[in-house]
Amino acid sequence: MAYREEKTIWDQVNSRGSKLWIQMNDSSKARKHREQFIQTHGGFFKQDGRYWVWVNPVKEHNGYWLKRVDTGEKTFFENMNEFAISQGMTSVKICELLNGKRKTYKGWTAVEVREVKETTGAHEKQQEPKKKKIIPVKTVVFQDKVTNEVFTVTNLRQFSLNNGFDYNNIKSLANGRLKSVKNLKLFNPLEKYKDSPEPK
């Protein structure tokens, strides 16, 4: 049976073109929307080029903050080893900054002091919640051609079994490959307007 993963709030707000993404990026009130979003969901937004990406509270907890001594500019990173290499530093020295054993290192200092292993390992990490797997349900609306009764079907196989229809025929009807099966057809809410006279 096919499953799909339920979209998380992280997926929704960071998917370019989604309603939430537009509110956080392309709206005239984007800054206000980001502030309200953080108040509700925590975490923070970091700028990535022209746009803003939400870092959720778990990623923020598992990541690290340093700031420049000269400008006070804060930088967040999730992979200590990659950040160390990019800045010409070592993970061990960064750990010493973060756990307070070293005040500055190559122009960087800690934003906050917290317990970090003295090796390249990180502090105790939180686990991201697992995405829920859900079964996609296709809803089909049929209409009885005789009585005009309209009804919704979510399980075509069970519907066919309960009402004496051939499942393959009902499936073809639902997919538009057949116009009708016995007294059933696909419901078209606009059909009643098809022969209506045009307004003058």
Side-chain angles (χ1 to χ4, degrees), residues 9-61:
I9 188 67
W10 187 92
D11 294 321
Q12 296 174 46
V13 76
N14 288 329
S15 294
R16 185 171 295 190
S18 70
K19 183 177 180 180
L20 269 178
W21 183 89
I22 291 171
Q23 287 181 345
M24 305 302 148
N25 286 277
D26 283 354
S27 166
S28 60
K29 298 181 180 178
R31 183 175 180 177
K32 181 179 179 181
H33 288 155
R34 290 195 298 269
E35 292 172 352
Q36 292 174 339
F37 187 90
I38 291 171
Q39 288 177 2
T40 303
H41 300 284
F44 67 97
F45 281 89
K46 67 175 182 179
Q47 195 161 10
D48 183 11
R50 290 177 52 199
Y51 303 113
W52 294 88
V53 176
W54 179 56
V55 179
N56 67 34
V58 174
K59 289 183 182 294
E60 182 179 18
H61 172 85

Side-chain angles (χ1 to χ4, degrees), residues 11 24 31 36 62 97 112-113 118 120 122 127 135 160 164 171-172 185 198:
D11 294 321
M24 305 302 148
R31 183 175 180 177
Q36 292 174 339
N62 293 341
L97 286 177
E112 61 177 2
V113 175
E118 294 187 11
T120 57
Q127 294 296 318
I135 303 173
S160 302
K171 186 177 179 182
S172 294
K185 65 178 181 179
E198 294 185 3

Side-chain angles (χ1 to χ4, degrees), residues 66-75 108 111:
L66 290 180
K67 68 179 177 180
R68 295 295 304 174
V69 176
D70 51 353
T71 64
E73 181 182 0
K74 298 179 182 178
T75 298
W108 294 92
V111 173

Side-chain angles (χ1 to χ4, degrees), residues 6-195:
E6 185 179 42
K7 281 192 174 182
T8 64
I9 188 67
W10 187 92
D11 294 321
Q12 296 174 46
V13 76
N14 288 329
S15 294
R16 185 171 295 190
S18 70
K19 183 177 180 180
L20 269 178
W21 183 89
I22 291 171
Q23 287 181 345
M24 305 302 148
N25 286 277
D26 283 354
S27 166
S28 60
K29 298 181 180 178
R31 183 175 180 177
K32 181 179 179 181
H33 288 155
R34 290 195 298 269
E35 292 172 352
Q36 292 174 339
F37 187 90
I38 291 171
Q39 288 177 2
T40 303
H41 300 284
F44 67 97
F45 281 89
K46 67 175 182 179
Q47 195 161 10
D48 183 11
R50 290 177 52 199
Y51 303 113
W52 294 88
V53 176
W54 179 56
V55 179
N56 67 34
V58 174
K59 289 183 182 294
E60 182 179 18
H61 172 85
N62 293 341
Y64 313 93
W65 285 98
L66 290 180
K67 68 179 177 180
R68 295 295 304 174
V69 176
D70 51 353
T71 64
E73 181 182 0
K74 298 179 182 178
T75 298
F76 175 81
F77 54 97
E78 296 181 64
N79 188 307
M80 185 183 295
N81 189 51
E82 287 183 1
F83 181 78
I85 293 173
S86 70
Q87 300 297 319
M89 302 191 289
T90 68
S91 296
V92 173
K93 292 294 192 298
I94 291 177
C95 284
E96 290 177 355
L97 286 177
L98 294 171
N99 61 25
K101 290 186 177 181
R102 181 183 292 267
K103 288 186 177 181
T104 63
Y105 175 51
K106 291 193 174 182
W108 294 92
T109 188
V111 173
E112 61 177 2
V113 175
R114 62 187 184 186
E115 184 179 354
V116 181
K117 295 179 182 178
E118 294 187 11
T119 61
T120 57
H123 59 292
E124 185 177 349
K125 289 184 177 291
Q126 294 180 356
Q127 294 296 318
E128 293 268 9
K130 292 184 177 180
K131 291 185 178 181
K132 295 179 180 179
K133 290 186 176 180
I134 58 178
I135 303 173
V137 176
K138 180 178 181 179
T139 301
V140 183
V141 182
F142 292 127
Q143 184 174 26
D144 189 305
K145 295 192 296 183
V146 177
T147 65
N148 288 326
E149 179 186 1
V150 175
F151 46 94
T152 301
V153 176
T154 56
N155 188 322
L156 294 178
R157 190 177 297 277
Q158 192 63 47
F159 172 79
S160 302
L161 182 63
N162 291 345
N163 295 278
F165 291 107
D166 179 84
Y167 169 67
N168 289 325
N169 287 341
I170 289 295
K171 186 177 179 182
S172 294
L173 176 63
N175 292 330
R177 291 194 293 268
L178 289 178
K179 290 186 177 181
S180 64
V181 174
K182 294 184 179 179
N183 60 321
L184 285 185
K185 65 178 181 179
L186 280 177
F187 174 62
N188 179 5
L190 301 179
E191 187 175 18
K192 62 181 179 180
Y193 301 108
K194 186 171 60 175
D195 299 323

